[in-house]
Amino acid sequence: MSLELKVKKTIEKEQLLQQDDHLLIAVSGGVDSMALLHYFVKTKDQWGITVEAVHVDHMLRGEASAEDRAFVQKYCDEYGIYLYAKAIPIPEIMALENGNTQLICRRERYQYFKEIMEKTNASKLVTAHHADDQLESVLMALTKNATINGMQGIRSQRIFEGKTLIRPFLTVTKSEIREYLLKQGLDHREDASNYKDTYVRNRFRHHVVPLLEAENPRVTEQVTHFTKQLQEDDAYLMNLAEDVFSRIVKRIDENTYSMEIKAHQLEPLALQRRLILILLNYLYKDSNTIQSYALLTSITKLFDTTAGYAEVHLPENFIAVRRYGKFTIQKKETIEGQASPEKKIISTANGWTTLTNGERLCVVELPDLSSIMLTDTAQLFYFNASKLKLPLYVRARKEGDRMLLKGMDRPKRLSRLFIDEKIPLNERNSWPLLISQSEEVVAVIGVRMGMLFSTSPQPNDDTVLIVD
C-alpha cells in the first residue's frame, strides 16, 4: 500500500481533518517533515484545507541551521506556501538555565508554534511523527517507567493550546517516507545530531530497533497496532473511571481533593490506578510528572489500608495524606498557612456546610432524613437537640478546650486527644470542632464524636448530624 493511501485511510479513520481546516505544518527540513509538507501541498484541494508552514532554527549547528531554514523557504516559495520562521538562541537559554537541551528545544519550539497558531487562527498543528517514532517511544517508556500512559505511545491527535495537534504519518514507516520523497523527486536536509548516540532516542534507533527488526521485519507495524488497541481499551476504562471519580472524589478547590479510602478500595484495580491518574491530570500540566511510575506507586500505597496517618510529599509543593480512612491531596502551604476557620453556624435550615478539611456537615430533624440524598460515605450521628442546645457551630481549637467522651467521667483535653489520635502538629490549630451554643466542644470532626452522639437512633433522639 502506498504512503498516500495509508495516510488517507488514517486521516479518514481517525477523523483528523475537517472541511476548511487551516493547517500549520511544522517543518524542520528533514525527510519526515518535507514529505509531510509535500503530501498536504499535493492534497490540500482534495481535502478542502488551507496549508501554511512553520520552521524553528534552534541555532545549535551554526551555518547548517541557517541553511535548513533557507532550504525550507526555497521549497515554500516554489510551491506557494507561506512560511513562518524564527531563530531561537537555544545555546544562550541553555547557558542561563543549564537544562536538558532537547527539553528546552521542545519547549521553545512549541511556544513559537502556539504564537503562530494564535496569530494565524490556524485550527490544527501538524507534526511528522511516524511509526518508527512510535516503536522507539514504546521501547523508551518500557525501560523508563512502563506506566499505562507511557506504553500507549504517541497518539494520532491531542489537544494543543485549545486547538488540535494531529500526526497523519503515525502509521507509515521511515523507509516508506524516504521512498515517497524519492519518488516525488524531492530533497531534504540531514541533521548531523541524528547520528550521535548522545540522546536516548538515538541509541534506541541505532542499536535496539535494528535487533528487533532482524527478528521481525514487521515489528514497527505490530507495535502500531498494539498501541492503538491500548489507547482504545484505556479510553473505555478512563470513561468508567471518570464516572467513579465524579461520584467518590470531592473537589474542595482547584488544589484540594479528597476521597474515602474504602470507596477507592471497592473499585477494580484498573479503575483505582486511573482514579489517581485523573487526579494527577487535574493537578499537573507536565506529562512526565503525570506519567511518573514512582509518583503513581507512592500515592497508591496510601490506599493499602484505612488505618493510621501517612503522607507523601509530591512535586510542586503538593502533599497526599491518609488520615483515619480518608485520602486528601492539597498544597502544603494551604495546610501550613491555614488561618483558624471562622465560626460557622450549622443549623437545620442552612443545608450543607463545607469545612476546611473537606468534610461536609448537615443537621436535619429525624423525620426529614428521608428527604436527604446521602452518599455511600455519609456517616449519621443521632442526638437529642435539647441536650446539645442548638444551633451547633464550627470553630478552631482554643486553649483549654475539652470534650466529654463516652465511658469517661471527666472531659478530655483536646491537646491530649490530638496527640493520642496522631493528628499532625501543623493541623491541630485549624482542625474543625463542633461546639454547642454554650461553647461546649461536642465533636472533633473526622476524629471523635462526643458522648451525646450515637451511631444508631436512641428513644429520645430527634435530630441527625450527617458527616460526609
Side-chain angles (χ1 to χ4, degrees):
M1 188 185 300
S2 67
L3 178 141
E4 294 98 320
L5 187 55
K6 268 192 175 183
V7 174
K8 183 174 184 293
K9 284 190 172 184
T10 298
I11 290 173
E12 291 173 344
K13 183 178 180 181
E14 303 292 332
Q15 299 180 8
L16 300 184
L17 294 180
Q18 281 75 43
Q19 185 80 17
D20 299 323
D21 265 342
H22 179 172
L23 304 188
L24 186 66
I25 301 179
V27 187
S28 65
V31 61
D32 308 326
S33 62
M34 290 305 298
L36 179 72
L37 177 58
H38 191 67
Y39 171 82
F40 281 111
V41 167
K42 287 185 62 181
T43 62
K44 57 185 174 67
D45 293 336
Q46 170 190 332
W47 294 112
I49 57 176
T50 302
V51 174
E52 293 183 315
V54 60
H55 173 84
V56 170
D57 173 5
H58 297 111
M59 302 177 70
L60 288 170
R61 296 179 292 115
E63 190 61 31
S65 294
E67 289 172 358
D68 290 348
R69 176 175 176 172
F71 174 81
V72 175
Q73 185 68 65
K74 182 181 177 182
Y75 173 93
C76 290
D77 290 343
E78 182 178 347
Y79 286 91
I81 300 298
Y82 194 88
L83 175 68
Y84 298 89
K86 181 180 182 179
I88 300 177
I90 297 297
E92 294 180 17
I93 298 173
M94 287 171 55
L96 290 172
E97 298 185 11
N98 193 30
N100 179 284
T101 305
Q102 285 190 313
L103 292 181
I104 292 174
C105 285
R106 187 185 189 283
R107 182 193 70 198
E108 297 297 321
R109 181 168 66 248
Y110 277 85
Q111 177 59 35
Y112 180 59
F113 294 164
K114 173 189 173 185
E115 292 171 8
I116 299 304
M117 289 193 78
E118 291 174 348
K119 177 180 178 181
T120 63
N121 200 29
S123 55
K124 285 166 184 170
L125 175 66
V126 193
T127 63
H129 292 90
H130 48 77
D132 293 58
D133 292 324
Q134 185 73 289
L135 171 59
E136 293 158 9
S137 295
V138 170
L139 292 173
M140 290 164 64
L142 181 63
T143 56
K144 184 179 180 181
N145 51 38
T147 62
I148 296 169
N149 277 353
M151 292 304 295
Q152 291 175 46
I154 307 167
R155 296 180 179 272
S156 59
Q157 59 182 314
R158 68 173 177 87
I159 299 299
F160 174 70
E161 301 295 341
K163 303 290 185 71
T164 305
L165 187 157
I166 63 173
R167 302 176 175 107
F169 273 16
L170 210 51
T171 58
V172 297
T173 64
K174 185 87 168 183
S175 60
E176 289 174 316
I177 293 172
R178 287 188 181 277
E179 183 181 348
Y180 169 78
L181 207 61
L182 185 63
K183 284 183 178 179
Q184 299 299 314
L186 296 175
D187 200 0
H188 65 278
R189 295 281 296 175
E190 289 286 356
D191 185 342
S193 65
N194 289 335
Y195 298 101
K196 298 177 181 178
D197 280 350
T198 308
Y199 303 122
V200 176
R201 184 175 289 275
N202 284 357
R203 293 197 293 275
F204 276 91
R205 181 177 300 164
H206 299 155
H207 306 292
V208 179
V209 172
L211 292 175
L212 296 175
E213 290 177 334
E215 291 293 331
N216 181 1
R218 299 182 62 186
V219 64
T220 301
E221 179 183 343
Q222 292 191 345
V223 167
T224 299
H225 294 321
F226 169 71
T227 54
K228 186 60 182 173
Q229 290 172 4
L230 276 184
Q231 290 171 12
E232 291 168 348
D233 289 352
D234 186 59
Y236 173 72
L237 289 170
M238 284 299 285
N239 281 335
L240 296 181
E242 288 280 4
D243 289 340
V244 174
F245 188 91
S246 64
R247 179 163 46 85
I248 73 170
V249 179
K250 295 180 187 177
R251 181 182 184 273
I252 312 305
D253 57 47
E254 63 178 355
N255 290 324
T256 309
Y257 296 81
S258 69
M259 73 177 100
E260 295 294 330
I261 290 175
K262 282 186 178 179
H264 184 270
Q265 291 174 338
L266 289 173
E267 298 301 327
L269 288 174
L271 296 189
Q272 289 183 26
R273 289 190 293 267
R274 285 168 175 82
L275 288 171
I276 297 173
L277 286 173
I278 293 170
L279 192 53
L280 293 176
N281 269 284
Y282 279 116
L283 300 177
Y284 299 107
K285 293 182 179 180
D286 177 40
S287 61
N288 289 326
T289 301
I290 296 168
Q291 296 178 20
S292 168
Y293 176 78
L295 188 61
L296 182 64
T297 302
S298 62
I299 295 175
T300 300
K301 286 181 179 178
L302 292 177
F303 291 91
D304 288 346
T305 178
T306 59
Y309 177 89
E311 61 184 39
V312 175
H313 294 264
L314 309 174
E316 299 180 23
N317 217 29
F318 280 96
I319 183 171
V321 176
R322 179 186 71 231
R323 179 177 48 235
Y324 306 106
K326 175 168 283 191
F327 168 87
T328 304
I329 190 167
Q330 64 189 125
K331 283 275 191 179
K332 275 190 281 188
E333 59 260 29
T334 305
I335 300 171
E336 294 166 0
Q338 278 176 343
S340 296
E342 295 180 3
K343 190 174 179 180
K344 292 183 178 181
I345 186 171
I346 312 295
S347 75
T348 55
N350 285 0
W352 289 96
T353 300
T354 301
L355 308 182
T356 56
N357 66 348
E359 300 277 10
R360 294 192 311 153
L361 302 185
C362 182
V363 174
V364 297
E365 294 178 0
L366 194 55
D368 298 330
L369 181 60
S370 59
S371 65
I372 302 295
M373 293 290 292
L374 298 176
T375 68
D376 295 338
T377 59
Q379 296 175 288
L380 305 183
F381 300 99
Y382 301 86
F383 63 97
N384 184 294
S386 63
K387 292 182 179 180
L388 273 180
K389 301 177 183 177
L390 294 179
L392 299 176
Y393 296 89
V394 172
R395 65 160 169 80
R397 183 175 62 147
K398 291 181 179 179
E399 184 64 32
D401 273 340
R402 290 175 168 82
M403 182 172 70
L404 189 59
L405 301 171
K406 286 185 178 180
M408 297 184 67
D409 296 328
R410 296 180 180 180
K412 184 169 184 174
R413 290 181 65 89
L414 292 195
S415 57
R416 184 70 246 176
L417 179 66
F418 281 137
I419 293 171
D420 293 344
E421 298 291 341
K422 298 182 174 60
I423 301 299
L425 183 63
N426 61 353
E427 297 183 35
R428 295 174 189 173
N429 286 336
S430 61
W431 199 276
L433 309 178
L434 192 65
I435 61 172
S436 66
Q437 195 173 22
S438 59
E439 283 294 319
E440 178 187 1
V441 178
V442 295
V444 179
I445 303 300
V447 180
R448 293 288 297 275
M449 303 299 291
M451 67 171 295
L452 296 177
F453 291 97
S454 301
T455 54
S456 57
Q458 303 302 305
N460 295 324
D461 288 343
D462 54 16
T463 313
V464 184
L465 170 69
I466 307 172
V467 181
D468 192 10

